[in-house]
Amino acid sequence: MALFIAISGIFVLELLMLSLKAVEINDVKELDNLEINSKVVVEGKVVNERILYLGSKLIVLDNGVEIICEDSESFKGKRIRVEGLIDEFNNKKQIGALRIEISN
């Protein structure tokens, strides 16, 4: 019974996370005004990309926003649209990518 309640609770939380509307941001200043774990969408051209550790990399957009993702594809020089959650590392806000799309 407890297992069923726990799984149901996780399912409800997942539905709530998916239904949250993402806030569109344009630069780092807007990112700094939002709270940790807020869902955001940002678009920009990738100016820098580097591997952090096995399977994870840091992407920097032309508007200064930093994105952490686990993707093997190279996005350098491409315009991308990212949906993700705000995270903080060393007192600096970044976006943990949930979805990345290449824009035209």
Side-chain angles (χ1 to χ4, degrees):
M1 185 65 177
L3 179 64
F4 175 73
I5 292 171
I7 291 174
S8 298
I10 291 170
F11 180 72
V12 168
L13 286 174
E14 186 69 29
L15 286 175
L16 288 173
M17 285 296 292
L18 290 174
S19 67
L20 290 176
K21 186 167 182 159
V23 177
E24 291 210 25
I25 61 169
N26 296 312
D27 59 23
V28 174
K29 291 176 186 174
E30 290 181 31
L31 183 66
D32 289 337
N33 294 329
L34 296 173
E35 293 188 24
I36 303 297
N37 289 326
S38 297
K39 195 172 187 180
V40 294
V41 173
V42 64
E43 192 170 331
K45 185 176 181 180
V46 177
V47 294
N48 193 7
E49 184 176 81
R50 68 180 170 101
I51 296 174
L52 296 174
Y53 48 89
L54 189 63
S56 291
K57 63 182 166 182
L58 174 71
I59 296 173
V60 180
L61 299 179
D62 58 351
N63 55 16
V65 175
E66 294 182 350
I67 299 159
I68 305 296
C69 73
E70 296 183 13
D71 199 326
S72 60
E73 183 178 351
S74 176
F75 297 105
K76 192 163 186 176
K78 297 179 183 174
R79 187 157 188 78
I80 61 172
R81 179 178 170 88
V82 179
E83 182 177 325
L85 299 175
I86 298 177
D87 198 2
E88 191 170 30
F89 182 72
N90 287 340
N91 293 325
K92 189 172 185 179
K93 289 188 178 174
Q94 303 170 327
I95 298 175
L98 298 173
R99 184 181 337 161
I100 298 177
E101 299 172 354
I102 297 175
S103 303
N104 292 329

